[in-house]
Amino acid sequence: MSEKIYSPAEIELRIQQIWAENDAFRAHEDAAGEKYYCLSMLPYPSGALHMGHVRNYTIGDVISRYHRMCGRNVLQPMGWDAFGLPAENAAISNDTAPATWTYANIEHMKAQFKRLGFAYDWSRELTTCKPEYYRWEQLMFTRLMKQGLAYRKDSEVNWDPVDQTVLANEQVIDGRGWRSGALVERKSIPQWFLRITDYAEELLTGLDKLEAWPDAVKTMQRNWIGRSEGAEFCMTVCDENGVPDAANRQVTVFTTRPDTAFGMTYAVLAPEHPMLATVTTHERAAEVSTFVAEARLASEADRLAEASSERKRGVFIGAYLLNPFTGKPVPLYTADYVLMAYGKGAIMAVPGQDQRDWDFAVSHNLPIVRTVQPPADWQGGAWTEDGPAINSAWLNGLSVIAAKEKAIAWLEQRGMGERKVNYRLRDWGVSRQRYWGCPIPVIYCPQCGAVPVPEDQLPVVLPESVSFTGVQSPIKTDPDWRKTMCPQCGVAAERETDTFDTFMESSWYYARYCCPGAESQLDERAKYWLPVDQYIGGIEHAILHLMYFRFYHRLLRNAGLVEGDEPAIRLLCQGMVVADTYYQQTQDGAVRWINPADVEVKRDSRGKPLGAVRRSDGKPVTIGAVEKMSKSKNNGVDPQRLVDHYGADCVRLFSMFASPPDQSLEWSDSGVEGASRFLRRVWTLVMTHLEAGPCVPLDLAVLSQEQRDIRRLVHNTVAKVSDDISRRYTFNTAIAAIMELTNHLARFEDQSEQGRAVTQEAWLAVVRLMNPITPHICEELWSALGESKPLYAACWPEVDESARVRSQVTVVVQVNGKVRARLELEPGMEQDKAMAMALRDGNVQRHTAGKEVRKIIHVPDRLLNIVVG
RNA sequence: GCCGAAGUGGCGGAACUGGUAGACGCGCUGGACUCAAAAUCCAGUUCUGGAAACAGAGUGUCGGUUCGAUUCCGACCUUCGGCACCA
């Protein structure tokens, strides 16, 4: 059994086979035990695992294995978020069907997962592109239609006029289609939406109960929902003299600052505002339509980024609005800093109290009237804080809050407006004009309109054997697929050919894992496993996915399928995996990125990098920035090669050791070497310990001081590692503590009977502490140490508190806050006694000599600060 | 632009509740073993001065609170994530 050489590949494959043969990680519903559902965000099957996957799934596996050892009934499933744009791109370049490519990737990546030794219950594997999965989300959607929670409205998309297709934001590069190069247009088409805004308030207040979610995520979600209280009111369209137009048209605006309405010096309509074209005067029409056409070219994010604080773009449209508060007309503009999607798509502009309005007013020479008195020394532009109202007639002198109330009451009394809570959150657009997605289960009847596909006709199956050219969706070009009958009146009708946003699949998969094979969307098993105890995924999902996930859980709750308001109790967001970049510049100035695996870095005698050369041709390369691993920068590291070379345990160990999980992880070849060295060292040390034969049982009564010191370290380490894994998620410090203990064990050469018994206890602890991180080598060492029960079924080590008691503590002595001595004192020493001990120290004497002691700060067992003057 | 993070030795990082800055690992330097190399082991390694004891400086920048600040407060700089059709 006890091989002398550590050979990870042989051990890992053998141990993995034992796990498989014993079905070691199969989860069963068991009402008696404490359940623990540990879920990592499911991967998109892009082709091969990358380091980001390895990191994400190792974190999940460590947490799962830890809780399993603590006796909990653990569910850790895995599946595939299999619909999506990359399959269509691959289909174009490889001339395969998206399905073929996707399934091949799944097969390959599943093998890679198995090689990494993750403790998944593969019997629950799900693949979102299969009808047996997506049929249930189609069913849910048809029910939402009937409840009015799914509805259809016109909405803008990126339109490629050459390819005659809709583009994702990602496919628009500098305003042009990625394949055709044509200037992309914004086009309005009818699309399906889910009323997530009905849940805005609940999604907002629910965040307060998510105590174990990162504050950053909760803050981002709060801001995304963007609740604001204010007023909505109407203003009449008029001419420059305040004479209302013939049709008595009204523009409705939302404002959070009705108290500042007396300072309104202009108003703005969003470029997409439906009234814009008709309100614009004949003389201004040409300029306005040019501006609108330009503004609508850019995506929202680009528009907001371009609308810099210095100069805001917009044009006067020739019309005016009557300010109800002053009875005077203000000029009406259209500007790209006003979005149709927020509020009413129209604003009253008050430059005195809003910085964006201030900037616009300055660049368009519009008047500025302050209606809140800034402090006397205020030098800046808009004053957005509190202060007494000025220039505001009957509001003068009131604070912002009081003036707001009075202004709203004034509007309501006159029936001109009302108090209004507005949310930035918008309804979820779920239509995609793409092929590789779940078909939207709707039939369009010339007589009945949009009709949900009846439940007995679901699923609407997406054909998988198609030839995909990339320009049009095969189900849009195939007239036969589309042709059907109206389920209500029986006349010829057509199917919806759009598919769902892939966030639809990833919004409920967590619940489906609980009940594989259920002949409904979910069954009772979901109520046993949910909520998810621990959810793990990338921080890039902080808003969109996690908001839809929380929303969909409420839809499932309202359908009676799950209990509780929130889908996941704890959330951990891991950072990105980054690596050095290296490049060579060719004579024509082109940059050629060199993979880190092909680069050798030269260092000086202090270890500072001097330069780098490319291994394959010996030519110098330039060291670039540290960036997210990507194909474009050629700085990706293939985990498969590392697993082949160092073994799964080593790759897992490095990815957990290099940085805390929520920060970015910097790739380092030598760091992997270090992880490998540590595993070999543990292996050799345990094998050396075993060579001396079996140990006698521990006898705590007869231990020497040194033996007690080792035991104290062992039990301190058990306590620290438990806390680091379960509460702090700082796997890096857990590993550091285990390394520290290992270093002490390597120096502890006590070959006496009790010395060896202490060593045996220590190694049994180390092997269990490391097991969640490096399970293969630990399983092997565990049985080598003489344990007959497999480690995957073993218990987490217990802390012997009596072993942790200290006989001495280090107390730092400071003089005026600077460390001057360190004393070894008995625990619990009082201030006077500690002070007397401190004054015996030569260095402390030197720094206090001839000076008056003004103050003494004593933190028992830690610190004594003597303040002298 | 808006929202959210991060910034500590040559490098990744540690310091958990305001109390020893630099744990652990990498790299580097020196040594042992070796014919030699690799591997392994031992010692050193924030900077400046010093043989040492020790002293001074030091956690992106500037300022503040405190006996004491990597930690709290204010302003700024840089980098990263998200911004609704990448997932």
Side-chain angles (χ1 to χ4, degrees), chain A residues 105-150:
Chain A
N105 289 348
I106 288 173
E107 198 179 338
H108 179 65
M109 289 169 76
K110 188 173 176 181
Q112 291 189 300
F113 271 132
K114 292 195 167 178
R115 183 62 191 84
L116 280 158
F118 297 132
Y120 295 137
D121 178 354
W122 284 106
S123 73
R124 293 167 186 262
E125 176 182 7
L126 61 79
T127 305
T128 61
C129 64
K130 291 191 174 169
E132 67 216 44
Y133 178 80
Y134 64 67
R135 62 181 295 188
W136 305 113
E137 92 194 30
Q138 290 179 334
L139 175 63
M140 175 62 111
F141 183 82
T142 59
R143 289 182 178 168
L144 294 175
M145 275 177 78
K146 291 168 196 162
Q147 293 166 37
L149 285 168

Short mmCIF file of all heavy atoms in Angstrom, two decimals, chain A residues 105-150:
data_model
loop_
_atom_site.label_atom_id
_atom_site.label_comp_id
_atom_site.label_asym_id
_atom_site.label_seq_id
_atom_site.Cartn_x
_atom_site.Cartn_y
_atom_site.Cartn_z
N ASN A 105 -19.55 19.33 -26.63
CA ASN A 105 -18.87 20.08 -25.57
C ASN A 105 -19.24 19.55 -24.19
O ASN A 105 -18.39 19.45 -23.31
CB ASN A 105 -19.26 21.56 -25.65
CG ASN A 105 -18.65 22.25 -26.84
OD1 ASN A 105 -17.77 21.69 -27.49
ND2 ASN A 105 -19.11 23.45 -27.12
N ILE A 106 -20.52 19.24 -24.04
CA ILE A 106 -20.98 18.75 -22.74
C ILE A 106 -20.25 17.46 -22.39
O ILE A 106 -19.77 17.28 -21.27
CB ILE A 106 -22.51 18.55 -22.74
CG1 ILE A 106 -23.20 19.92 -22.73
CG2 ILE A 106 -22.96 17.70 -21.56
CD1 ILE A 106 -24.71 19.87 -22.90
N GLU A 107 -20.14 16.59 -23.38
CA GLU A 107 -19.48 15.31 -23.13
C GLU A 107 -18.03 15.51 -22.70
O GLU A 107 -17.56 14.93 -21.73
CB GLU A 107 -19.55 14.46 -24.40
CG GLU A 107 -19.30 13.01 -24.16
CD GLU A 107 -19.41 12.20 -25.44
OE1 GLU A 107 -20.06 12.67 -26.40
OE2 GLU A 107 -18.82 11.12 -25.48
N HIS A 108 -17.35 16.41 -23.41
CA HIS A 108 -15.94 16.67 -23.09
C HIS A 108 -15.80 17.30 -21.70
O HIS A 108 -14.96 16.89 -20.89
CB HIS A 108 -15.34 17.58 -24.16
CG HIS A 108 -13.91 17.91 -23.91
ND1 HIS A 108 -12.91 16.97 -23.94
CD2 HIS A 108 -13.31 19.09 -23.59
CE1 HIS A 108 -11.76 17.54 -23.67
NE2 HIS A 108 -11.96 18.84 -23.44
N MET A 109 -16.64 18.29 -21.41
CA MET A 109 -16.49 19.00 -20.15
C MET A 109 -16.91 18.14 -18.96
O MET A 109 -16.36 18.27 -17.87
CB MET A 109 -17.30 20.31 -20.20
CG MET A 109 -16.65 21.32 -21.14
SD MET A 109 -17.69 22.75 -21.49
CE MET A 109 -17.55 23.70 -19.98
N LYS A 110 -17.83 17.23 -19.21
CA LYS A 110 -18.23 16.34 -18.13
C LYS A 110 -17.07 15.44 -17.73
O LYS A 110 -16.82 15.20 -16.55
CB LYS A 110 -19.44 15.50 -18.58
CG LYS A 110 -20.04 14.68 -17.46
CD LYS A 110 -21.32 14.01 -17.92
CE LYS A 110 -21.87 13.10 -16.82
NZ LYS A 110 -23.10 12.42 -17.25
N ALA A 111 -16.34 14.97 -18.73
CA ALA A 111 -15.16 14.14 -18.45
C ALA A 111 -14.12 14.96 -17.67
O ALA A 111 -13.48 14.45 -16.75
CB ALA A 111 -14.57 13.62 -19.76
N GLN A 112 -13.99 16.23 -18.03
CA GLN A 112 -13.04 17.08 -17.31
C GLN A 112 -13.47 17.27 -15.85
O GLN A 112 -12.63 17.25 -14.94
CB GLN A 112 -12.92 18.44 -18.00
CG GLN A 112 -12.25 18.36 -19.35
CD GLN A 112 -11.97 19.76 -19.88
OE1 GLN A 112 -12.89 20.55 -20.07
NE2 GLN A 112 -10.71 20.06 -20.11
N PHE A 113 -14.77 17.47 -15.64
CA PHE A 113 -15.28 17.61 -14.26
C PHE A 113 -14.95 16.36 -13.45
O PHE A 113 -14.53 16.44 -12.31
CB PHE A 113 -16.81 17.79 -14.28
CG PHE A 113 -17.26 19.21 -14.38
CD1 PHE A 113 -18.23 19.59 -15.30
CD2 PHE A 113 -16.75 20.17 -13.53
CE1 PHE A 113 -18.67 20.90 -15.38
CE2 PHE A 113 -17.19 21.49 -13.59
CZ PHE A 113 -18.14 21.85 -14.53
N LYS A 114 -15.16 15.21 -14.08
CA LYS A 114 -14.92 13.96 -13.35
C LYS A 114 -13.45 13.82 -13.00
O LYS A 114 -13.09 13.37 -11.92
CB LYS A 114 -15.42 12.77 -14.17
CG LYS A 114 -16.94 12.80 -14.27
CD LYS A 114 -17.53 11.49 -14.74
CE LYS A 114 -19.03 11.50 -14.49
NZ LYS A 114 -19.70 10.29 -14.96
N ARG A 115 -12.59 14.24 -13.93
CA ARG A 115 -11.15 14.15 -13.69
C ARG A 115 -10.71 15.06 -12.54
O ARG A 115 -9.71 14.82 -11.88
CB ARG A 115 -10.40 14.50 -14.99
CG ARG A 115 -8.91 14.38 -14.92
CD ARG A 115 -8.45 12.96 -14.63
NE ARG A 115 -7.02 12.89 -14.31
CZ ARG A 115 -6.51 13.12 -13.11
NH1 ARG A 115 -7.31 13.44 -12.09
NH2 ARG A 115 -5.22 13.04 -12.89
N LEU A 116 -11.47 16.16 -12.33
CA LEU A 116 -11.12 17.07 -11.24
C LEU A 116 -11.64 16.59 -9.88
O LEU A 116 -11.33 17.16 -8.85
CB LEU A 116 -11.65 18.48 -11.54
CG LEU A 116 -10.74 19.25 -12.50
CD1 LEU A 116 -11.52 20.36 -13.20
CD2 LEU A 116 -9.54 19.85 -11.76
N GLY A 117 -12.45 15.53 -9.91
CA GLY A 117 -12.87 14.91 -8.67
C GLY A 117 -13.94 15.65 -7.88
O GLY A 117 -13.99 15.55 -6.66
N PHE A 118 -14.80 16.40 -8.58
CA PHE A 118 -15.86 17.11 -7.86
C PHE A 118 -16.93 16.12 -7.40
O PHE A 118 -17.33 15.23 -8.15
CB PHE A 118 -16.48 18.19 -8.75
CG PHE A 118 -15.51 19.25 -9.16
CD1 PHE A 118 -15.39 19.66 -10.47
CD2 PHE A 118 -14.69 19.85 -8.20
CE1 PHE A 118 -14.49 20.64 -10.85
CE2 PHE A 118 -13.78 20.85 -8.56
CZ PHE A 118 -13.68 21.24 -9.89
N ALA A 119 -17.40 16.32 -6.20
CA ALA A 119 -18.35 15.37 -5.58
C ALA A 119 -19.78 15.69 -6.01
O ALA A 119 -20.61 16.05 -5.18
CB ALA A 119 -18.19 15.41 -4.06
N TYR A 120 -20.07 15.53 -7.29
CA TYR A 120 -21.41 15.82 -7.79
C TYR A 120 -22.28 14.58 -7.75
O TYR A 120 -21.80 13.46 -7.95
CB TYR A 120 -21.36 16.32 -9.25
CG TYR A 120 -20.65 17.64 -9.41
CD1 TYR A 120 -19.75 17.83 -10.46
CD2 TYR A 120 -20.87 18.68 -8.52
CE1 TYR A 120 -19.09 19.05 -10.61
CE2 TYR A 120 -20.22 19.89 -8.67
CZ TYR A 120 -19.33 20.07 -9.71
OH TYR A 120 -18.68 21.26 -9.85
N ASP A 121 -23.58 14.84 -7.60
CA ASP A 121 -24.57 13.79 -7.79
C ASP A 121 -24.97 13.84 -9.26
O ASP A 121 -25.88 14.58 -9.65
CB ASP A 121 -25.77 14.02 -6.87
CG ASP A 121 -26.85 12.97 -7.08
OD1 ASP A 121 -26.69 12.14 -8.01
OD2 ASP A 121 -27.84 12.99 -6.33
N TRP A 122 -24.28 13.05 -10.09
CA TRP A 122 -24.52 13.12 -11.54
C TRP A 122 -25.88 12.58 -11.93
O TRP A 122 -26.34 12.80 -13.05
CB TRP A 122 -23.41 12.40 -12.31
CG TRP A 122 -22.14 13.20 -12.37
CD1 TRP A 122 -20.99 12.96 -11.66
CD2 TRP A 122 -21.89 14.37 -13.15
NE1 TRP A 122 -20.06 13.92 -11.96
CE2 TRP A 122 -20.57 14.80 -12.87
CE3 TRP A 122 -22.65 15.12 -14.06
CZ2 TRP A 122 -20.00 15.91 -13.46
CZ3 TRP A 122 -22.08 16.24 -14.65
CH2 TRP A 122 -20.77 16.62 -14.35
N SER A 123 -26.54 11.88 -11.03
CA SER A 123 -27.87 11.36 -11.39
C SER A 123 -28.87 12.50 -11.57
O SER A 123 -29.96 12.30 -12.09
CB SER A 123 -28.37 10.39 -10.32
OG SER A 123 -28.75 11.09 -9.15
N ARG A 124 -28.52 13.70 -11.11
CA ARG A 124 -29.43 14.84 -11.21
C ARG A 124 -29.03 15.82 -12.32
O ARG A 124 -29.58 16.91 -12.42
CB ARG A 124 -29.46 15.59 -9.88
CG ARG A 124 -30.09 14.79 -8.77
CD ARG A 124 -29.82 15.42 -7.41
NE ARG A 124 -30.30 14.55 -6.35
CZ ARG A 124 -31.47 14.71 -5.72
NH1 ARG A 124 -32.26 15.71 -6.03
NH2 ARG A 124 -31.84 13.88 -4.78
N GLU A 125 -28.04 15.43 -13.11
CA GLU A 125 -27.55 16.30 -14.19
C GLU A 125 -28.72 16.79 -15.06
O GLU A 125 -29.61 16.02 -15.41
CB GLU A 125 -26.59 15.49 -15.06
CG GLU A 125 -26.06 16.24 -16.27
CD GLU A 125 -25.13 15.35 -17.12
OE1 GLU A 125 -25.04 14.14 -16.81
OE2 GLU A 125 -24.52 15.86 -18.06
N LEU A 126 -28.71 18.07 -15.39
CA LEU A 126 -29.72 18.56 -16.32
C LEU A 126 -29.08 19.39 -17.43
O LEU A 126 -28.01 19.96 -17.25
CB LEU A 126 -30.82 19.34 -15.60
CG LEU A 126 -30.51 20.60 -14.81
CD1 LEU A 126 -30.35 21.79 -15.73
CD2 LEU A 126 -31.65 20.87 -13.83
N THR A 127 -29.74 19.39 -18.58
CA THR A 127 -29.26 20.10 -19.76
C THR A 127 -30.41 20.96 -20.25
O THR A 127 -31.46 20.43 -20.63
CB THR A 127 -28.84 19.08 -20.84
OG1 THR A 127 -27.87 18.19 -20.26
CG2 THR A 127 -28.22 19.78 -22.04
N THR A 128 -30.21 22.28 -20.22
CA THR A 128 -31.36 23.18 -20.41
C THR A 128 -31.90 23.20 -21.84
O THR A 128 -33.00 23.67 -22.06
CB THR A 128 -31.00 24.61 -20.00
OG1 THR A 128 -29.92 25.05 -20.83
CG2 THR A 128 -30.59 24.70 -18.55
N CYS A 129 -31.12 22.67 -22.81
CA CYS A 129 -31.61 22.71 -24.19
C CYS A 129 -32.46 21.49 -24.54
O CYS A 129 -32.87 21.32 -25.69
CB CYS A 129 -30.45 22.85 -25.18
SG CYS A 129 -29.33 21.46 -25.19
N LYS A 130 -32.70 20.61 -23.54
CA LYS A 130 -33.52 19.44 -23.84
C LYS A 130 -34.98 19.71 -23.52
O LYS A 130 -35.30 20.33 -22.51
CB LYS A 130 -33.02 18.25 -23.00
CG LYS A 130 -31.64 17.78 -23.45
CD LYS A 130 -31.27 16.48 -22.82
CE LYS A 130 -29.97 15.96 -23.40
NZ LYS A 130 -29.45 14.82 -22.62
N PRO A 131 -35.89 19.21 -24.39
CA PRO A 131 -37.32 19.48 -24.19
C PRO A 131 -37.80 19.04 -22.81
O PRO A 131 -38.68 19.66 -22.23
CB PRO A 131 -37.99 18.65 -25.29
CG PRO A 131 -36.93 18.39 -26.29
CD PRO A 131 -35.61 18.43 -25.60
N GLU A 132 -37.21 17.96 -22.26
CA GLU A 132 -37.67 17.49 -20.95
C GLU A 132 -37.39 18.53 -19.87
O GLU A 132 -37.99 18.49 -18.80
CB GLU A 132 -37.00 16.16 -20.60
CG GLU A 132 -35.51 16.28 -20.38
CD GLU A 132 -34.70 15.08 -20.87
OE1 GLU A 132 -34.99 14.60 -21.99
OE2 GLU A 132 -33.79 14.66 -20.14
N TYR A 133 -36.46 19.45 -20.13
CA TYR A 133 -36.24 20.56 -19.20
C TYR A 133 -37.11 21.76 -19.58
O TYR A 133 -37.91 22.24 -18.79
CB TYR A 133 -34.77 20.97 -19.17
CG TYR A 133 -34.51 22.15 -18.24
CD1 TYR A 133 -34.41 21.96 -16.86
CD2 TYR A 133 -34.39 23.44 -18.73
CE1 TYR A 133 -34.20 23.02 -16.00
CE2 TYR A 133 -34.19 24.52 -17.87
CZ TYR A 133 -34.09 24.30 -16.51
OH TYR A 133 -33.89 25.36 -15.66
N TYR A 134 -36.96 22.23 -20.83
CA TYR A 134 -37.56 23.52 -21.15
C TYR A 134 -39.08 23.47 -21.30
O TYR A 134 -39.74 24.49 -21.27
CB TYR A 134 -36.88 24.20 -22.33
CG TYR A 134 -36.96 23.55 -23.70
CD1 TYR A 134 -38.16 23.45 -24.38
CD2 TYR A 134 -35.81 23.11 -24.34
CE1 TYR A 134 -38.22 22.90 -25.66
CE2 TYR A 134 -35.85 22.56 -25.60
CZ TYR A 134 -37.07 22.45 -26.28
OH TYR A 134 -37.11 21.91 -27.54
N ARG A 135 -39.64 22.23 -21.42
CA ARG A 135 -41.10 22.16 -21.52
C ARG A 135 -41.77 22.80 -20.31
O ARG A 135 -42.84 23.40 -20.41
CB ARG A 135 -41.57 20.71 -21.64
CG ARG A 135 -41.23 19.86 -20.44
CD ARG A 135 -41.68 18.42 -20.61
NE ARG A 135 -43.14 18.32 -20.68
CZ ARG A 135 -43.79 17.17 -20.67
NH1 ARG A 135 -43.11 16.03 -20.63
NH2 ARG A 135 -45.10 17.14 -20.72
N TRP A 136 -41.11 22.71 -19.15
CA TRP A 136 -41.74 23.24 -17.92
C TRP A 136 -41.68 24.75 -17.86
O TRP A 136 -42.53 25.39 -17.27
CB TRP A 136 -41.09 22.59 -16.69
CG TRP A 136 -41.15 21.11 -16.76
CD1 TRP A 136 -40.11 20.23 -16.90
CD2 TRP A 136 -42.34 20.30 -16.76
NE1 TRP A 136 -40.56 18.94 -16.97
CE2 TRP A 136 -41.93 18.95 -16.90
CE3 TRP A 136 -43.71 20.58 -16.68
CZ2 TRP A 136 -42.84 17.89 -16.92
CZ3 TRP A 136 -44.61 19.53 -16.70
CH2 TRP A 136 -44.17 18.20 -16.83
N GLU A 137 -40.64 25.31 -18.48
CA GLU A 137 -40.62 26.78 -18.46
C GLU A 137 -41.58 27.33 -19.51
O GLU A 137 -42.12 28.42 -19.34
CB GLU A 137 -39.19 27.31 -18.57
CG GLU A 137 -38.68 27.62 -19.94
CD GLU A 137 -37.15 27.80 -19.93
OE1 GLU A 137 -36.45 27.20 -19.11
OE2 GLU A 137 -36.68 28.57 -20.78
N GLN A 138 -41.82 26.53 -20.55
CA GLN A 138 -42.89 26.93 -21.50
C GLN A 138 -44.25 26.90 -20.81
O GLN A 138 -45.06 27.81 -20.96
CB GLN A 138 -42.89 25.98 -22.70
CG GLN A 138 -41.66 26.14 -23.61
CD GLN A 138 -41.68 25.18 -24.78
OE1 GLN A 138 -42.28 24.11 -24.72
NE2 GLN A 138 -40.99 25.55 -25.85
N LEU A 139 -44.46 25.85 -20.01
CA LEU A 139 -45.73 25.73 -19.28
C LEU A 139 -45.90 26.93 -18.34
O LEU A 139 -46.98 27.56 -18.31
CB LEU A 139 -45.73 24.42 -18.49
CG LEU A 139 -46.94 24.20 -17.58
CD1 LEU A 139 -48.22 24.12 -18.39
CD2 LEU A 139 -46.76 22.93 -16.75
N MET A 140 -44.86 27.24 -17.60
CA MET A 140 -44.92 28.37 -16.67
C MET A 140 -45.24 29.65 -17.43
O MET A 140 -46.06 30.45 -16.99
CB MET A 140 -43.59 28.48 -15.93
CG MET A 140 -43.48 29.68 -15.03
SD MET A 140 -44.71 29.67 -13.70
CE MET A 140 -43.69 29.41 -12.29
N PHE A 141 -44.61 29.81 -18.59
CA PHE A 141 -44.83 31.03 -19.36
C PHE A 141 -46.30 31.16 -19.81
O PHE A 141 -46.88 32.23 -19.72
CB PHE A 141 -43.90 31.07 -20.58
CG PHE A 141 -44.02 32.33 -21.39
CD1 PHE A 141 -43.36 33.48 -21.00
CD2 PHE A 141 -44.82 32.37 -22.53
CE1 PHE A 141 -43.47 34.66 -21.73
CE2 PHE A 141 -44.94 33.54 -23.27
CZ PHE A 141 -44.26 34.69 -22.87
N THR A 142 -46.89 30.05 -20.26
CA THR A 142 -48.29 30.13 -20.71
C THR A 142 -49.19 30.49 -19.53
O THR A 142 -50.17 31.22 -19.69
CB THR A 142 -48.77 28.81 -21.34
OG1 THR A 142 -48.65 27.75 -20.39
CG2 THR A 142 -47.98 28.47 -22.59
N ARG A 143 -48.83 30.01 -18.33
CA ARG A 143 -49.63 30.37 -17.14
C ARG A 143 -49.45 31.85 -16.81
O ARG A 143 -50.39 32.52 -16.40
CB ARG A 143 -49.23 29.49 -15.96
CG ARG A 143 -49.71 28.06 -16.18
CD ARG A 143 -49.38 27.16 -15.03
NE ARG A 143 -49.92 25.82 -15.30
CZ ARG A 143 -49.59 24.73 -14.59
NH1 ARG A 143 -48.77 24.83 -13.57
NH2 ARG A 143 -50.11 23.56 -14.91
N LEU A 144 -48.23 32.34 -16.98
CA LEU A 144 -47.98 33.76 -16.71
C LEU A 144 -48.75 34.63 -17.71
O LEU A 144 -49.24 35.71 -17.36
CB LEU A 144 -46.48 34.07 -16.79
CG LEU A 144 -45.62 33.41 -15.71
CD1 LEU A 144 -44.14 33.69 -15.97
CD2 LEU A 144 -46.01 33.89 -14.32
N MET A 145 -48.87 34.15 -18.95
CA MET A 145 -49.67 34.89 -19.94
C MET A 145 -51.10 35.03 -19.47
O MET A 145 -51.70 36.10 -19.55
CB MET A 145 -49.67 34.14 -21.28
CG MET A 145 -48.47 34.42 -22.17
SD MET A 145 -48.57 33.40 -23.67
CE MET A 145 -49.79 34.32 -24.63
N LYS A 146 -51.64 33.91 -18.97
CA LYS A 146 -53.03 33.93 -18.54
C LYS A 146 -53.21 34.85 -17.34
O LYS A 146 -54.28 35.44 -17.15
CB LYS A 146 -53.49 32.51 -18.21
CG LYS A 146 -53.61 31.63 -19.47
CD LYS A 146 -53.79 30.16 -19.12
CE LYS A 146 -53.52 29.28 -20.34
NZ LYS A 146 -53.25 27.87 -19.95
N GLN A 147 -52.17 34.95 -16.52
CA GLN A 147 -52.26 35.82 -15.34
C GLN A 147 -51.94 37.28 -15.67
O GLN A 147 -51.95 38.13 -14.78
CB GLN A 147 -51.27 35.36 -14.26
CG GLN A 147 -51.57 34.01 -13.65
CD GLN A 147 -50.38 33.49 -12.85
OE1 GLN A 147 -49.67 34.24 -12.20
NE2 GLN A 147 -50.15 32.20 -12.91
N GLY A 148 -51.56 37.52 -16.92
CA GLY A 148 -51.19 38.89 -17.29
C GLY A 148 -49.79 39.28 -16.85
O GLY A 148 -49.41 40.44 -16.93
N LEU A 149 -49.01 38.30 -16.38
CA LEU A 149 -47.64 38.61 -15.96
C LEU A 149 -46.66 38.53 -17.12
O LEU A 149 -45.52 38.95 -17.01
CB LEU A 149 -47.19 37.65 -14.84
CG LEU A 149 -47.81 37.96 -13.47
CD1 LEU A 149 -47.58 36.82 -12.49
CD2 LEU A 149 -47.25 39.27 -12.90
N ALA A 150 -47.12 37.95 -18.25
CA ALA A 150 -46.34 37.99 -19.47
C ALA A 150 -47.17 38.78 -20.48
O ALA A 150 -48.37 38.55 -20.61
CB ALA A 150 -46.07 36.58 -19.99
#
